[in-house]
Amino acid sequence: MTDHKLQVRRAAVLGAGVMGAQIAAHLTAAGIPVDLYDLPSDDGPRNKLAEQGRQRLLKLKPAPLASKDLAEFIRPLNFADDLDKLSECDFIIEAVAERMDIKRDLYGKLAPHIRDGAIFASNTSGLSITDLSRELPDALRGRFCGVHFFNPPRYMHLVELIPHSGTDDKVLDLLEDFLTRNLGKGVVRTRDTANFIANRVGMFTMLSTMHHADRLGLGFDTVDALTGPAIGRPKSATFRLADVVGLDTMGNVINTMKDQLEDDPWHAWFEQPAWLKQLIEAGSVGQKAGAGVFRKDGKTIRVLDPASGDYRDTDYSLPEDVKKTLAVKDPGEKLTELARCDNEYTEFLWSIHRDLFHYCAYHLAEIADSAREVDLAIRWGYGWKVGPFEIWQSAGWQAMAELVGRDIREGRTGVEAGLPDWVGEIEAVHSPEGSWAADEARYLPRPDLPVFQRQYQPVRLLGEKTESGDTVHESDSIRLWTLHDDVLIASLKSKMAAIDNGVVDGLNEAIERAESGFEGLVIWQPDGPFSAGANLKAAAEAIQKGDYDSVRELVTGFQAVNLRLRYAAVPSVAAVRGLALGGGLELAMHAAARVAHLESYMGLVEAGVGLLPAGGGLATLAMQIVEDTRAGDTYPLLERRYKQVAMGQVAGSAMEAREMGYLRAHDRIVLHEHELLHAAHHEIRAMAAAGYRPPMAQRQFPAAGDVGVATLRMLLVNMLEGRFISEHDNEIGRRIATVLCGGEIDRGSKVDEAWIHRLEREHFLELCAMDKTQERIAHMLKTGKPLRN
């Protein structure tokens, strides 16, 4: 442990259950080997339980491991034989069962083995950190706190950091830096109150939802139709979310609230409903058990009817007038309309919003340093687009306060607690000065730890001061801008950053301006994916009209701008996060370097719509295959790369993308998505400082030729005969083989990029003209899913 950065050379996770094993998996993504502990086994190998936890990581979906190869860096151990190995670890996190007696017993045994300087933390979701700290010796207590990951740890952005009164402030700063920089998390510091912030507010929201659904006679499926994307929350909504989290886990959180929050004005609601108790007793605890509130019968999803205890078919339909109200864009207008309570649906929606506002305001001084922590915890931990206070503020702070106050005065809330005085004394909880701290009666600025200086474009809350840089050039398709420096940033403005002629023109403008007056060029999207590929809708419209000249123009132009990017006089970096598919990936492949967020999903997926990559992606792969196999047989790698493209495989992480050749060995992978711009800028400056020179153009390389084509096509024959692929899959696959191998020319013949580009264009346009390809494109546009015809 240093004064400025926590150096974790080895970590330990205590508890190999669902959470513990997945925390271990995420630590390996950061390059940290992990000791995974569990109870000793009396049946077979002593480390059997920990090993089973490790093996489960290879099967879980979504994948906890960024690469399956990382499982070998998790060492299974047990509490009886291996506690002495804790002395090798710099960071130790406990994730055993949520029972105070079990944790206390374990703490007494492990404390003597934790070395000086190591940090110890609990992943408890709601037990008192202060009570747990009392089981530790004084020398360790200052290095102990709560570090609460959310499930699944790899994908959920939130980590709550919970000190007790004796936690060293320096330890908290080091942990916040480590969790942010090394693990890519959004850290929210919370107070040591029951269930902390996210689960306190999130679980209250679920209990309020259950209370009003029962009061108004709404089914669980109807509630999910009302509380998902329709109000800015995830598709999992309320009861589907409960199944994903685990009904047993939800039951534990409710019990904690009931036991520890007796003075809470809403305490009467902190009770497990009868249907929840019955499901838990029956073992139907949600997704992990195959049944919960929802159950899949064959291909049909059914929902529990709490009145009968039976499952019925789901019905997510809503009345048209309710859908019309939900479609209102203005938050104030929408919530005012809901507050009229014209029917059971609008009364339900207003009631859960009113209760949420009331609860958050009433408890803000108790649970959080400011409103910022509440909103970020719910955004990051529960996946809401905006937090509770942001919803309130966007609808008009005082207008909503008056409506909530009206219901309190008229006894509609079911509780006697009123709104705190500060609500009427301010106009907003978030402002350019910071976020409202109820116990200090002032606005607190954003945290200013050095690690946050690496986030050039961080998450901003409604009302906060924003920084959007200096615009250099802007069109309908692209924005070129800087962060007040000499690195040009290109951000695509099309939906899903789809590539069309306007984007191609914009990229040409970006390269021209970068070469004439900037140190380099970064391609980065402020929102959404890097790029989901070509604008399929525009292409389909042109194909339908038989306007193949327009399609040829786009393909030729896209190939040309990608080549221009590759051979530009200044360095370029593609800063990738989220989807980089088809043409989007081809764009990234032509940059001088790539910086990718761990959660980048890359693939040349054109085969799914009956096409093949035609933006230089196959030419790039062909050159890379030669480069990567100079000292050996090219065929094994050629076959792997061919299968990736022909099967439309998508990497499940940036690490998998590197294994697939879409990221190269020198490309950087970062775990925090908001550090992408920071890393990209540093890459530009490093290349420039080293006297960047672009690769020499028109390099020739040996093609796999006719032998390669014939060998790859044999794979297709076997798959076609086995009915693993359709005739049209076979047609596409044959053409991909032809292009990737440089055509049916003699093996070893020298070709260049222009040669492969010509083949890409020819076969792409010929596929466009085929009926089955057009059927695939139409199906994708209609359903968002590939058609195998």
Side-chain angles (χ1 to χ4, degrees):
M1 189 166 75
T2 68
D3 286 341
H4 65 283
K5 189 176 178 183
L6 180 63
Q7 301 287 354
V8 180
R9 297 172 181 84
R10 188 169 201 90
V13 177
L14 313 178
V18 173
M19 278 299 289
Q22 290 192 79
I23 292 170
H26 191 61
L27 285 164
T28 65
I32 300 170
V34 182
D35 290 340
L36 181 61
Y37 284 80
D38 212 302
L39 294 168
S41 173
D42 296 326
D43 176 21
R46 295 279 283 171
N47 298 330
K48 178 180 176 181
L49 293 178
E51 175 61 22
Q52 287 174 343
R54 187 174 78 114
Q55 291 300 320
R56 278 194 299 271
L57 295 173
L58 299 169
K59 301 172 184 175
L60 281 175
K61 298 293 181 184
L65 291 160
S67 167
K68 288 187 176 182
D69 293 344
L70 293 175
E72 66 181 90
F73 296 102
I74 298 174
R75 179 170 64 170
L77 299 173
N78 73 78
F79 293 130
D81 306 327
D82 303 310
L83 285 181
D84 60 313
K85 292 185 173 64
L86 287 174
S87 63
E88 304 171 16
C89 300
D90 303 297
F91 177 54
I92 299 156
I93 183 163
E94 169 268 305
V96 299
E98 280 289 271
R99 281 177 46 185
M100 189 65 80
D101 58 332
I102 293 175
K103 293 181 189 289
R104 283 173 171 162
D105 180 64
L106 177 63
Y107 287 17
K109 294 175 181 176
L110 61 85
H113 301 284
I114 297 177
R115 67 169 183 79
D116 290 345
I119 292 177
F120 178 42
S122 174
N123 184 58
T124 178
S125 59
L127 297 180
S128 169
I129 298 299
T130 299
D131 288 350
L132 288 171
S133 74
R134 295 191 179 108
E135 305 302 315
L136 299 173
D138 291 343
L140 179 55
R141 199 171 293 145
R143 291 177 278 120
F144 174 73
C145 63
V147 174
H148 179 214
F149 288 84
F150 277 65
N151 190 22
R154 172 182 161 187
Y155 301 96
M156 295 303 292
H157 192 54
L158 177 64
V159 170
E160 290 179 313
L161 185 58
I162 313 103
H164 60 91
S165 61
T167 305
D168 188 334
D169 288 342
K170 187 182 293 183
V171 166
L172 294 173
D173 288 349
L174 287 168
L175 269 175
E176 185 160 5
D177 180 285
F178 170 73
L179 293 165
T180 303
R181 182 198 310 261
N182 298 93
L183 299 189
K185 295 304 175 186
V187 178
V188 169
R189 295 198 191 192
T190 82
R191 297 180 177 179
D192 188 18
T193 55
N195 293 333
F196 315 130
I197 295 177
N199 280 340
R200 175 78 174 267
V201 175
M203 188 52 61
F204 171 79
T205 302
M206 296 182 80
L207 288 167
S208 168
T209 299
M210 293 176 195
H211 171 79
H212 293 296
D214 179 65
R215 178 175 68 84
L216 295 165
L218 299 179
F220 297 153
D221 45 353
T222 299
V223 169
D224 275 9
L226 291 166
T227 59
I231 57 171
R233 300 182 191 177
K235 291 180 181 178
S236 52
T238 299
F239 292 105
R240 178 74 186 113
L241 174 63
D243 274 355
V244 171
V245 169
L247 300 183
D248 51 343
T249 300
M250 188 172 80
N252 288 334
V253 175
I254 294 172
N255 289 341
T256 300
M257 295 178 77
K258 179 182 178 181
D259 295 341
Q260 297 188 23
L261 299 173
E262 292 183 356
D263 294 332
D264 193 301
W266 288 265
H267 185 264
W269 294 6
F270 302 166
E271 191 75 53
Q272 292 185 32
W275 59 264
L276 179 59
K277 290 179 181 177
Q278 291 166 6
L279 286 174
I280 293 173
E281 289 170 4
S284 299
V285 292
Q287 182 173 277
K288 58 190 175 186
V293 176
F294 295 90
R295 185 180 72 191
K296 191 172 184 180
D297 293 339
K299 293 185 178 181
T300 303
I301 303 293
R302 311 192 78 203
V303 64
L304 179 72
D305 178 355
S308 66
D310 296 327
Y311 287 86
R312 60 169 174 77
D313 290 348
T314 54
D315 179 4
Y316 294 103
S317 62
L318 295 173
E320 287 302 317
D321 58 335
V322 175
K323 289 194 280 188
K324 185 177 179 181
T325 301
L326 288 170
V328 173
K329 298 293 184 185
D330 181 79
E333 183 182 344
K334 180 190 292 186
L335 281 170
T336 301
E337 181 70 26
L338 293 176
R340 293 192 179 98
C341 301
D342 292 334
N343 53 59
E344 65 269 33
Y345 304 98
T346 55
E347 181 178 348
F348 165 78
L349 285 169
W350 167 246
S351 297
I352 64 172
H353 279 90
R354 175 202 64 209
D355 291 350
L356 176 63
F357 299 160
H358 190 183
Y359 193 83
C360 288
Y362 185 86
H363 287 296
L364 177 58
E366 172 197 354
I367 66 174
D369 290 344
S370 76
R372 179 178 189 275
E373 284 71 32
V374 173
D375 279 347
L376 289 181
I378 295 300
R379 273 201 197 192
W380 293 342
Y382 279 76
W384 293 17
K385 288 184 178 179
V386 291
F389 284 117
E390 288 180 287
I391 299 170
W392 183 348
Q393 182 167 324
S394 69
W397 183 261
Q398 288 302 334
M400 289 301 107
E402 174 55 36
L403 288 173
V404 174
R406 175 203 68 185
D407 283 10
I408 294 171
R409 291 190 300 271
E410 295 178 3
R412 299 179 188 177
T413 63
V415 296
E416 295 182 2
L419 287 171
D421 291 342
W422 63 261
V423 170
E425 298 167 358
I426 63 173
E427 293 300 323
V429 283
H430 303 300
S431 75
E433 292 76 41
S435 297
W436 186 255
D439 56 346
E440 297 186 34
R442 68 184 182 98
Y443 290 98
L444 291 184
R446 295 171 65 88
D448 60 355
L449 289 178
V451 68
F452 296 121
Q453 303 307 311
R454 298 159 59 92
Q455 299 180 18
Y456 293 168
Q457 294 283 286
V459 170
R460 300 286 183 183
L461 295 169
L462 179 73
E464 276 195 297
K465 183 179 179 180
T466 60
E467 168 56 71
S468 53
D470 294 328
T471 299
V472 174
H473 167 82
E474 190 162 11
S475 69
D476 290 342
S477 301
I478 200 166
R479 179 184 179 227
L480 306 182
W481 58 288
T482 71
L483 287 166
H484 319 296
D485 59 14
D486 56 358
V487 175
L488 187 63
I489 304 168
S491 298
L492 310 189
K493 294 170 60 179
S494 53
K495 184 178 181 180
M496 300 288 284
I499 294 163
D500 55 20
N501 285 321
V503 167
V504 169
D505 291 343
L507 289 170
N508 274 309
E509 179 75 19
I511 297 166
E512 185 171 333
R513 287 178 180 264
E515 288 183 321
S516 64
F518 292 90
E519 195 86 329
L521 173 65
V522 172
I523 304 172
W524 176 82
Q525 320 308 348
D527 300 301
F530 178 78
S531 173
N535 185 332
L536 200 58
K537 183 178 180 182
E541 289 172 355
I543 291 168
Q544 250 182 348
K545 297 174 185 175
D547 183 9
Y548 293 103
D549 287 342
S550 293
V551 179
R552 182 187 298 275
E553 178 188 350
L554 174 59
V555 172
T556 303
F558 187 45
Q559 288 179 333
V561 79
N562 279 342
L563 285 179
R564 190 175 177 190
L565 181 66
R566 173 169 287 160
Y567 299 111
V570 294
S572 59
V573 172
V576 180
R577 60 175 167 176
L579 299 178
L581 302 178
L585 175 54
E586 290 178 296
L587 174 61
M589 291 169 76
H590 283 81
R594 283 138 297 279
V595 173
H597 180 229
L598 180 69
E599 301 309 330
S600 295
Y601 310 111
M602 306 183 190
L604 296 173
V605 297
E606 287 86 348
V609 289
L611 298 168
L612 52 72
L618 292 177
T620 300
L621 283 181
M623 289 191 295
Q624 288 178 358
I625 290 166
V626 173
E627 181 181 333
D628 293 346
T629 57
R630 290 188 186 280
D633 183 7
T634 62
Y635 182 73
L637 184 58
L638 174 66
E639 181 181 330
R640 286 206 305 275
R641 298 293 182 254
Y642 168 73
K643 285 181 176 178
Q644 288 172 198
V645 181
M647 298 172 69
Q649 294 175 359
V650 177
S653 70
M655 290 185 179
E656 286 188 7
R658 177 173 282 159
E659 294 165 9
M660 296 169 74
Y662 298 142
L663 294 179
R664 307 297 284 162
H666 65 272
D667 292 332
R668 308 293 182 188
I669 296 174
V670 299
L671 269 74
H672 202 297
E673 64 175 316
H674 297 303
E675 293 187 4
L676 270 179
L677 267 184
H678 168 82
H681 274 63
H682 277 262
E683 286 295 306
I684 291 287
R685 300 202 185 286
M687 287 188 279
Y692 178 78
R693 291 296 304 162
M696 297 180 72
Q698 302 304 320
R699 292 170 294 168
Q700 291 198 326
F701 57 93
D706 50 5
V707 175
V709 172
T711 308
L712 295 178
R713 285 181 176 177
M714 280 305 300
L715 297 173
L716 292 171
V717 169
N718 294 334
M719 294 179 74
L720 187 62
E721 289 179 351
R723 298 186 178 180
F724 294 110
I725 61 173
S726 68
E727 288 285 356
H728 197 50
D729 289 326
N730 180 59
E731 178 68 33
I732 300 162
R734 288 169 64 86
R735 290 174 180 272
I736 292 172
T738 299
V739 177
L740 190 60
C741 294
E744 300 201 37
I745 57 178
D746 291 341
R747 181 180 185 180
S749 297
K750 293 293 185 70
V751 298
D752 58 17
E753 283 175 282
W755 177 269
I756 305 290
H757 281 190
R758 178 182 60 80
L759 292 174
E760 286 181 351
R761 288 194 303 273
E762 288 178 359
H763 287 279
F764 182 91
L765 288 163
E766 288 171 10
L767 285 168
C768 281
M770 295 182 181
D771 290 342
K772 289 191 178 297
T773 286
Q774 293 175 23
E775 290 171 7
R776 289 192 178 194
I777 292 173
H779 189 269
M780 176 62 76
L781 289 172
K782 183 177 180 180
T783 69
K785 297 177 182 178
L787 171 68
R788 292 297 181 191
N789 55 351

